[in-house]
Amino acid sequence: MKSLKWMVMLMLVSVAAAAQQERYVQYVNPLIGTAKMGHTFPGATVPFGMVQLSPDTDTIQYIDKGKYNPDVYKYCAGYQYADKSIVGFSHTHFSGTGHSDLGDFLVMPTTGELKLNPGVATVARSGYRSAYRHESETARPGYYSVLLDDYQVKAELTATERTGFHRYTFPASNEAHILLDLVHGIYNYPEKNVWTFVRVENDTLITGYRQTLGWARTRTVYFAMTFSKPFKSYGSVNEKQEMYGGFWRKFNQKQNFPELAGRQLKLYFNFDTKANEAVQVKMALSAVSTAGALHNMQAEIPHWNFDAVAQAASDKWEQELQRIQIEADLTTKQNFYTAMYHAFIAPNLFMDVDGSYRGLDQQVHKAQGFTNYTTFSLWDTYRALHPLYNLVQQQRNNDMVQSMLAHYDQSAVKMLPIWSHYANDNWCMSGYHSVAVLADAFVKGVSTTGIDKALAACVATANKSSYEGIGEYIARGYIPAERSGTSVSNTLEYAYDDWAIAQLAKKAGDNAVYETFMQRAAQYKNVFDKDGFVKRKNALGQFLPNADLLSTHGQGLIEGNSWNYSFFVPHDPAALIQLMGGKKAFVARMDSLFTMYLPDHYFAETEDITREGIIGTYVHGNEPAHHVPYLYNFAGAPWKTQELIRRILPLQYKPTPDGLGGNDDCGQMSAWYIFSALGFYPVAPGSGSYEIGSPIIHHAVLPLENGRQLRITVQHQSEKNIYVKQVLVNGKPIAGTSIAHDDLMQGGEIVFVMTDKKTAQRLAEKLN
């Protein structure tokens, strides 16, 4: 009996320890970044899920009086914290982007007089939208709720990977409605819907699809929608009558008609409700078919237990957040775990439960041996997000690599993705940065099979001479200003990508490709003028006069000025330092970047930059210079990198709705925070190493997918001791300022020994 007693006691101790284990979901606030420039959304999703069920607060049109409407930019994620009303809850959203699409299948509960137009924000009760207050709003991982004041309906949202789950608690009413608006969309315009189809299968099940022409040119999304109680009646309106009506006019399609088709459909479903009665809605998505959507729903939520689904969503987030367990102050934990949350929203799962998905060729494929993903914002995410996955999400990142190779196989032009989502490539931004993602994954041993195929795809992409100046870049070593409005930034970004291809070729043992692409990787030098700044060059090889180094517009650059882009040589910082006159001159140039003033008129017309995202002339609110703070390391002044990191982190990341200094860009801004908080950063993905910064955590544990555990310990940290005196990897001090990825994957312990500024400066002087 004694042994049994001890067994019970041990079980109780084990249960108590588990209960005391910290849950990191408590630190996540999905409302961070929902105001100003963050462009995040507060609604319900699960890690890397296909469904992002979130409130939309307005219906701003992309086109106004025949021209682009700049106000639409605020609604990239559908939600603006400052808005006072909600128009409904749609099922697909981008997180943190600077352009947009999606907003599929908006659902809105209402009571009283039936209204099928959302109305306008400036006129109360002018449509089906409802006022709401942040005091009645709750947002946490996998769950969102709000009270719709105009209807006194409590809306609650949760989700699985492919299914959104709504719970609407109504007051007593014989005029309760649930609207399904298939006209609504993000970055919407009247012609965006190419076609929509709806079939009312019975009094609880609706299926259908819509095809849109937007950022994704040919995007088709199927749905299956079911109610927890039968509706008593239903109806529809088609806001755009077709030129040819056919003989469907024999039917009254506006009321209780089960098959509808058109470009601008809206449906409503009527209920009688008792006080505090909950009507629940499940909507599953598929890119393949309505049958696929229904199968997804039945597989993921075969019941009506909303609370169980919400708890499961929370648990899925907790499991992912446990991949990095930190000890730090409360503000750091809030910022860190919200950053992890944002970093694990996209890329998104893009296949049914049976592995079927729609490919770039618009045919249905079956994922064999990998999980298919979409939403690759590669100009942003190759820098830190995918390298983060190579540390803590290795299996997923390998699946993403396989998804990119499948994209290549299905491509009519035989290129890897540039910016892809929903079986489309929208070709947004410059460079061909999928090659950097592939190279980083293979160099770090995350992807181990198919390297020859990956290298061939990278080479084919980089040699696509008809694409955005690549032919000129290959022939001349730069892109002439006459050929492209982004000639300088494209040249720089192609050079880095070519270096990444060279690293992949080296890993694959292909010396010929390695030599070719290492030569191309040096072509960045061709756009540097003698003063050490990048500038436009014409077809005759002459730099154009009157360059404005502070302006983004008309200078051959995209989303950055020459002061920022002149440091975009992450793969060859030693040569860059020499181009700028040596270490002393380079450090002085860097100091100027972070201290000089950038007048407002230089970014007044730039949508994605505000004063909050700028430090000196360094733009942290955009990506091209994210690696730049770490370049002091290469010039013998690592203490300046450390000091700067400690300045950037609290300035650009705050646990408030307006707490991000720029678009989160599918997790890139957040990945920068995560790496920098831990104390290191991947300056050149593909190199297999990280540069040392200044950790703000006290301790961290990373359970690695290879079964090992990496611990990070920070010693002697204080308000003054923000500088790194020494870094030990499993007891051995590192030489220089970099840590190898292979050393991290061995597990064990990294110790940062912190010190004060004077000591750090003396150490730097000795190294120089």
Side-chain angles (χ1 to χ4, degrees):
M1 293 299 293
K2 183 178 179 180
S3 62
L4 181 60
K5 177 181 178 182
W6 278 105
M7 185 179 296
V8 171
M9 289 181 66
L10 286 171
M11 289 175 64
L12 290 173
V13 170
S14 177
V15 170
Q20 292 172 4
Q21 184 176 358
E22 190 167 22
R23 281 184 63 86
Y24 297 113
V25 289
Q26 67 180 306
Y27 300 113
V28 176
N29 182 359
L31 287 167
I32 292 176
T34 57
K36 289 191 177 180
M37 301 302 297
H39 288 178
T40 62
F41 63 84
T45 190
V46 297
F48 305 98
M50 188 173 175
V51 166
Q52 308 85 35
L53 178 53
S54 188
D56 295 335
T57 56
D58 217 328
T59 55
I60 298 295
Q61 293 288 298
Y62 181 77
I63 300 295
D64 181 31
K65 298 177 181 177
K67 296 182 179 179
Y68 168 69
N69 177 9
D71 286 341
V72 76
Y73 185 75
K74 295 185 296 183
Y75 295 94
C76 284
Y79 178 99
Q80 270 292 307
Y81 188 82
D83 286 350
K84 304 300 183 184
S85 62
I86 286 174
V87 297
F89 309 98
S90 64
H91 290 76
T92 57
H93 295 82
F94 287 132
S95 179
T97 56
H99 196 82
S100 205
D101 202 343
L102 311 181
D104 296 297
F105 310 130
L106 183 121
V107 175
M108 181 64 172
T110 68
T111 60
E113 178 188 355
L114 179 66
K115 299 176 182 178
L116 295 178
N117 188 290
V120 294
T122 54
V123 181
R125 300 178 183 271
S126 59
Y128 62 66
R129 73 174 65 227
S130 173
Y132 79 106
R133 293 163 291 115
H134 292 302
E135 292 80 5
S136 68
E137 188 179 35
T138 299
R140 59 178 184 262
Y143 175 84
Y144 175 88
S145 73
V146 67
L147 180 65
L148 301 174
D149 289 338
D150 289 351
Y151 308 115
Q152 289 301 295
V153 173
K154 182 180 181 180
E156 297 175 274
L157 313 175
T158 189
T160 59
E161 282 72 14
R162 302 167 182 84
T163 306
F165 201 172
H166 313 236
R167 181 165 67 187
Y168 299 126
T169 303
F170 283 88
S173 176
N174 58 7
E175 291 184 301
H177 320 288
I178 293 180
L179 312 183
L180 174 60
D181 189 338
L182 287 94
V183 177
H184 174 85
I186 297 171
Y187 269 44
N188 221 14
Y189 61 97
E191 294 79 25
K192 185 172 182 178
N193 272 8
V194 176
W195 200 247
T196 54
F197 172 81
V198 176
R199 184 180 172 94
V200 181
E201 306 285 358
N202 54 49
D203 59 3
T204 59
L205 177 64
I206 301 94
T207 60
Y209 70 86
R210 83 165 178 168
Q211 183 182 358
T212 58
L213 168 60
W215 205 16
R217 185 178 65 179
T218 307
R219 190 174 69 92
T220 306
V221 192
Y222 296 87
F223 74 88
M225 177 183 186
T226 186
F227 298 100
S228 60
K229 67 176 288 185
F231 45 80
K232 63 179 182 180
S233 61
Y234 65 97
S236 68
V237 60
N238 186 354
E239 294 183 343
K240 180 178 176 57
Q241 297 303 313
E242 305 305 320
M243 290 296 294
Y244 177 73
F247 293 93
W248 286 90
R249 62 181 181 271
K250 294 179 178 181
F251 299 99
N252 176 9
Q253 298 179 63
K254 294 183 178 181
Q255 292 183 338
N256 300 318
F257 192 76
E259 187 174 291
L260 305 163
R263 284 178 169 82
Q264 296 189 9
L265 288 176
K266 296 177 182 179
L267 286 83
Y268 60 91
F269 304 92
N270 302 320
F271 300 86
D272 292 331
T273 56
K274 300 175 184 177
N276 297 317
E277 180 180 359
V279 179
Q280 299 186 116
V281 184
K282 293 185 287 189
M283 179 174 281
L285 304 186
S286 169
V288 175
S289 65
T290 56
L294 186 58
H295 188 199
N296 292 339
M297 180 195 297
Q298 292 167 340
E300 293 182 347
I301 316 180
H303 54 75
W304 288 102
N305 191 335
F306 180 94
D307 293 331
V309 174
Q311 184 61 54
S314 176
D315 291 344
K316 289 173 184 176
W317 277 113
E318 181 63 27
Q319 181 179 352
E320 299 303 322
L321 298 177
Q322 289 280 348
R323 290 178 184 268
I324 307 178
Q325 304 159 22
I326 70 166
E327 294 177 12
D329 61 79
L330 178 60
T331 296
T332 298
K333 282 186 174 182
Q334 290 172 330
N335 284 329
F336 190 91
Y337 286 107
T338 302
M340 283 190 68
Y341 172 78
H342 286 147
F344 294 166
I345 289 176
N348 302 117
L349 178 74
F350 192 62
M351 69 180 196
D352 289 349
V353 291
D354 67 355
S356 299
Y357 70 95
R358 186 170 300 278
L360 190 66
D361 55 5
Q362 301 304 308
Q363 301 300 309
V364 176
H365 298 263
K366 184 72 73 80
Q368 300 288 351
F370 72 100
T371 299
N372 190 57
Y373 287 90
T374 189
T375 315
F376 291 120
S377 180
L378 293 161
W379 186 81
D380 308 294
T381 58
Y382 85 88
R383 305 167 196 266
L385 186 71
H386 286 283
L388 178 66
Y389 296 162
N390 282 335
L391 185 61
V392 299
Q393 292 279 5
Q394 292 193 328
Q395 181 57 56
R396 287 191 197 271
N397 205 49
N398 182 56
D399 285 344
M400 292 170 191
V401 165
Q402 298 307 313
S403 300
M404 293 180 196
L405 291 174
H407 176 113
Y408 172 80
D409 287 340
Q410 297 152 12
S411 169
V413 297
K414 287 303 173 191
M415 290 183 70
L416 287 161
I418 302 297
W419 207 126
S420 64
H421 73 283
Y422 271 81
N424 282 257
D425 202 323
N426 58 43
W427 305 104
C428 187
M429 302 308 292
S430 59
Y432 32 84
H433 297 305
S434 50
V435 306
V437 176
L438 269 61
D440 200 46
F442 279 101
V443 166
K444 291 175 178 173
V446 172
S447 293
T448 57
T449 59
I451 190 170
D452 293 334
K453 176 181 178 180
L455 180 60
C458 289
V459 170
T461 301
N463 285 334
K464 192 68 178 180
S465 60
S466 60
Y467 180 73
E468 206 166 27
I470 289 178
E472 297 274 4
Y473 167 79
I474 294 172
R476 299 172 181 269
Y478 70 97
I479 302 172
E482 299 96 319
R483 305 290 191 267
S484 170
T486 55
S487 59
V488 179
S489 54
N490 276 12
T491 298
L492 294 168
E493 296 191 51
Y494 291 165
Y496 163 74
D497 286 337
D498 289 346
W499 173 86
I501 294 173
Q503 307 317 299
L504 180 61
K506 184 177 181 180
K507 182 77 172 181
D510 192 327
N511 191 60
V513 173
Y514 172 77
E515 293 293 343
T516 296
F517 279 87
M518 282 301 288
Q519 291 175 11
R520 283 173 56 164
Q523 292 181 167
Y524 68 87
K525 297 176 182 178
N526 295 331
V527 291
F528 273 86
D529 203 349
K530 58 187 176 182
D531 60 0
F533 285 99
V534 294
K535 298 173 186 173
R536 293 175 297 160
K537 184 184 280 188
N538 64 23
L540 298 176
Q542 303 163 331
F543 284 104
L544 300 185
N546 303 317
D548 189 337
L549 302 179
L550 295 178
S551 179
T552 294
H553 303 292
Q555 303 299 311
L557 302 166
I558 188 168
E559 298 195 10
N561 60 23
S562 182
W563 265 96
N564 282 263
Y565 260 110
S566 294
F567 292 99
F568 188 77
V569 189
H571 59 292
D572 200 2
L576 175 65
I577 289 169
Q578 293 308 307
L579 275 175
M580 292 187 175
K583 289 184 177 180
K584 186 175 180 181
F586 182 82
V587 169
R589 177 80 62 88
M590 288 272 287
D591 289 346
S592 295
L593 174 70
F594 291 103
T595 57
M596 67 188 295
Y597 181 74
L598 183 66
D600 288 0
H601 70 268
Y602 281 109
F603 57 90
E605 296 180 2
T606 303
E607 288 181 316
D608 48 5
I609 296 298
T610 62
R611 175 63 64 189
E612 291 84 354
I614 300 174
I615 298 173
T617 306
Y618 165 76
V619 181
H620 189 76
N622 218 327
E623 277 67 32
H626 270 188
H627 68 290
V628 173
Y630 289 87
L631 294 184
Y632 280 117
N633 283 3
F634 298 91
W639 65 272
K640 283 181 174 282
T641 283
Q642 294 153 23
E643 189 172 83
L644 190 56
I645 297 304
R646 289 302 188 100
R647 182 182 172 196
I648 294 172
L649 286 168
L651 277 177
Q652 298 297 308
Y653 302 87
K654 301 180 179 71
T656 58
D658 60 350
L660 293 179
N663 300 336
D664 195 60
D665 283 317
C666 288
Q668 166 58 26
M669 282 278 287
S670 290
W672 193 97
Y673 182 94
I674 293 165
F675 270 123
S676 296
L678 293 175
F680 51 94
Y681 186 80
V683 166
S687 68
S689 66
Y690 307 87
E691 283 301 311
I692 296 297
S694 176
I696 62 171
I697 59 161
H698 304 314
H699 185 71
V701 176
L702 287 71
L704 304 174
E705 289 187 14
N706 61 12
R708 299 186 177 100
Q709 185 184 83
L710 175 66
R711 300 184 306 279
I712 300 172
T713 301
V714 184
Q715 296 179 353
H716 311 311
Q717 185 158 213
S718 68
E719 288 187 10
K720 291 184 177 180
N721 289 358
I722 64 171
Y723 305 89
V724 177
K725 179 180 180 180
Q726 189 180 45
V727 179
L728 300 106
V729 178
N730 290 324
K732 296 180 180 180
I734 66 168
T737 60
S738 64
I739 298 178
H741 177 80
D742 288 346
D743 286 342
L744 299 185
M745 297 310 296
Q746 290 300 315
E749 185 175 36
I750 299 175
V751 177
F752 288 84
V753 182
M754 309 303 287
T755 189
D756 60 19
K757 185 173 184 175
K758 288 185 178 180
T759 302
Q761 289 174 323
R762 285 198 301 269
L763 289 171
E765 289 170 2
K766 288 181 180 179
L767 290 174
N768 291 326

